[in-house]
Amino acid sequence: MHHSAPDPRPPVLHLAQPVDGGVARVVLDLTRAQLAAGLDVVVACPAGELAAGARALGARVRHWRATRTPGPSLLREVRDLAHLVEEVRPALVHAHSAKAGLAGRLAVRGRIPTVFQPHAWSFEAVGGVTARLALRWERWGARWAHQVVCVSDAERATGLRAGIRADFAVVPNGIDPDRFRPAAADAVPSTPGLELDPAAPLVVCVGRLCRQKGQDVLLAAWDAVLRDLPGARLVLVGDGPDREELRARAPHSVLFAGAVADPVPWYRAADLVVLPSRWEGMALAPLEAMACGRPVVVTDVDGARESLPPALTRHCLVPPECPAALAETVAALLPDAPLRASLGDQGRRHVLSTHDVRRTAEAVADLYRELLGAAPAVSSECRESIHS
């Protein structure tokens, strides 16, 4: 019986938890680029959207049973990861988000080149004792990351202010401009899945239904928007722990689309896309919306502010957790079609020049090369393949 020879290239191992939303998208985009560059890619994560997507791309997927937040199962999760790393024998480990960053660094402890990408700092997401513990861990765990990758300058500055001493690199999130692009004039889709009056002004918010994304603030602002524009409609695209609570307080003009496989039709259907986050690393939704030629309104928090070109901040940036300011901005933009078209056009040009996913993948490939020296696992073929 013929056995194929083992692959001589040591793999890159991506560790991820959570396995949905922006983190999954970033890992899948990197996986796609790295496979195209000829790397052997292994993704270790719990079952879900990410595992299925990585498998479909052709990566090797290893099941890692892990909860979304630290809990009593942490020791077992770290032990499982240590065994997995032993079996996979990666050249480099790239841990995504707080939970995988915690368990991954405890399992590897710097013995293999380790990249940690927080996708927003853990201590910003919590309060009180939990925040203090998270901050102490991030300061301590930094010694076991050869490189900490932040998605915005603001995220890096927050880490430095918090006393995290690490070798930081800033690699802004990227999107695929071939997938996220404006609809042709003759191909603007009908609003998918839900019957809406095409003449009614439509606001769309794409994001996990959770405290971080601030949909509750948008609902608090919505009554004031309706006073100015009684026909306006709001669609919340996504699912999450706050779904029922948000549904209970939403008026009839707010529709819940649930989780969708492809948000592009919703961006294209929107007159305005809003993301009222309380904190961010760098959200993908505003970048995706701008790439589709749509104007966006975001809150003035790390990572969201940086996703806008400077020219748009006057019209598109509002203070966080301020329903009155959000309502005023939305109600001013919705009736002004020429301004919205101009903002959408400027946003798209900005995303194409600054947030192309190929640029992101190339920057990560450069980091890997630096960490691995001239190891054959990441060679100049990477750059050529990503460019092609």
Side-chain angles (χ1 to χ4, degrees), residues 189-211:
S190 60
T191 307
L194 295 168
E195 290 308 311
L196 290 172
D197 174 1
L202 181 63
V203 174
V204 170
C205 175
V206 177
R208 189 165 184 260
L209 302 183
C210 62
R211 185 173 179 275

Side-chain angles (χ1 to χ4, degrees), residues 34-297:
Q34 290 166 4
L35 288 168
L39 300 191
D40 180 14
V41 180
V42 180
V43 177
C45 62
E49 185 187 311
L50 175 56
R55 208 172 275 117
L57 289 172
R60 292 193 281 148
V61 175
R62 300 296 300 269
H63 179 62
W64 174 45
R65 201 158 48 98
T67 58
R68 195 178 176 109
T69 52
S73 55
L74 179 64
L75 283 177
R76 194 253 318 142
E77 292 163 357
V78 170
R79 224 174 17 246
D80 289 354
L81 266 189
H83 290 314
L84 199 147
V85 168
E86 225 170 275
E87 289 167 24
V88 172
R89 302 182 71 79
L92 179 145
V93 171
H94 189 152
H96 298 266
S97 211
K99 180 58 186 291
L102 169 63
R105 283 179 288 173
L106 285 171
V108 176
R109 282 184 241 175
R111 291 186 293 259
I112 299 165
T114 301
V115 175
F116 169 51
Q117 190 162 351
H119 299 274
W121 292 107
S122 55
F123 49 84
E124 289 192 296
V126 288
V129 176
T130 318
R132 288 197 294 277
L133 287 172
L135 178 55
R136 278 175 63 183
W137 155 252
E138 291 299 357
R139 286 173 177 159
W140 173 261
R143 72 196 61 211
W144 289 329
H146 296 82
Q147 190 85 58
V148 174
V149 174
C150 293
V151 290
S152 64
D153 288 320
E155 186 180 52
R156 175 181 174 274
T158 298
L160 285 170
R161 268 199 314 274
I164 296 164
R165 300 286 164 255
D167 191 355
F168 283 105
V170 175
V171 179
N173 276 343
I175 53 93
D176 178 356
D178 297 329
R179 180 182 169 202
F180 296 97
R181 63 184 193 280
D186 58 352
V188 177
S190 60
T191 307
L194 295 168
E195 290 308 311
L196 290 172
D197 174 1
L202 181 63
V203 174
V204 170
C205 175
V206 177
R208 189 165 184 260
L209 302 183
C210 62
R211 185 173 179 275
Q212 178 193 356
K213 299 296 181 181
Q215 289 94 346
D216 59 316
V217 181
L218 181 51
L219 288 183
W222 193 243
D223 283 341
V225 174
L226 291 177
R227 279 198 292 277
D228 284 353
L229 300 159
R233 293 290 177 267
L234 168 62
V235 177
L236 301 184
V237 179
D239 202 352
D242 291 359
R243 179 185 54 199
E244 294 314 317
E245 190 184 323
L246 292 167
R247 268 184 189 281
R249 58 189 289 193
H252 290 308
S253 58
V254 179
L255 301 167
F256 288 76
V260 299
D262 182 12
V264 169
W266 283 112
Y267 292 132
R268 289 174 173 173
D271 294 303
L272 185 65
V273 175
V274 177
L275 191 70
S277 309
R278 286 179 165 88
W279 70 90
E280 284 293 349
M282 177 171 282
L284 291 171
L287 303 178
E288 294 168 354
M290 286 190 284
C292 290
R294 288 296 177 259
V296 299
V297 171

